[in-house]
Amino acid sequence: MNKLENYRPCAAATPVTAKLLLLILRDITDDHDQIIIPQRHIAEAIGMTRKTVSRNLHRLEQAGVIAIEPLYSEYGGRLPNRYRLGGNQNGR
């Protein structure tokens, strides 16, 4: 597969910030193409606001490029989301 194919999934209608976010997620995911990380940590690392990161993660989800899975503790408290590359094809 051509390495440029990696950039095609969100090429059409997503802003540059969403594309940057996708590349960062691809770089930090595990062997199963997933990661559990707070949006705040992503925002701090790349110099964006948490709101901008959140908005662009949801754009990527709507484009079917990633899946966002909310996680909760055993007591019902919110944990950081799990992000899976490949969107709905990875079991969501």
Side-chain angles (χ1 to χ4, degrees), residues 1 9 13 21-22 29 33 35 40 44 51 65-66 72 77 88:
M1 173 163 79
L21 200 49
L22 178 60
T29 55
D33 287 335
I35 187 168
R40 179 179 49 85
E44 289 171 358
K51 187 173 181 175
V65 179
I66 66 169
Y72 299 90
N88 294 332

Side-chain angles (χ1 to χ4, degrees), residues 62-77:
Q62 289 173 346
V65 179
I66 66 169
I68 301 173
E69 179 185 346
L71 299 176
Y72 299 90
S73 73
E74 61 184 283
Y75 303 107

Side-chain angles (χ1 to χ4, degrees), residues 24-37 65-69 71 81-87 90-92:
I24 290 166
L25 288 175
R26 284 191 172 155
D27 199 42
I28 62 175
T29 55
D30 64 14
D31 292 340
H32 302 289
D33 287 335
Q34 62 184 8
I35 187 168
I36 299 171
I37 187 170
V65 179
I66 66 169
I68 301 173
E69 179 185 346
L71 299 176
N81 291 332
R82 174 182 289 131
Y83 302 98
R84 297 176 194 262
L85 297 183
N90 282 344
R92 180 150 182 228

Side-chain angles (χ1 to χ4, degrees), residues 45-67:
I46 60 177
M48 290 183 190
T49 66
R50 196 209 54 79
K51 187 173 181 175
T52 298
V53 168
S54 178
R55 182 175 44 248
N56 284 291
L57 286 168
H58 287 288
R59 286 178 175 149
L60 291 172
E61 183 181 41
Q62 289 173 346
V65 179
I66 66 169

Side-chain angles (χ1 to χ4, degrees), residues 10-11 16-18 36 38 40-41 52 79 87 89 91:
C10 66
V16 173
T17 51
I36 299 171
R40 179 179 49 85
H41 289 182
T52 298
L79 298 172
Q89 69 189 27

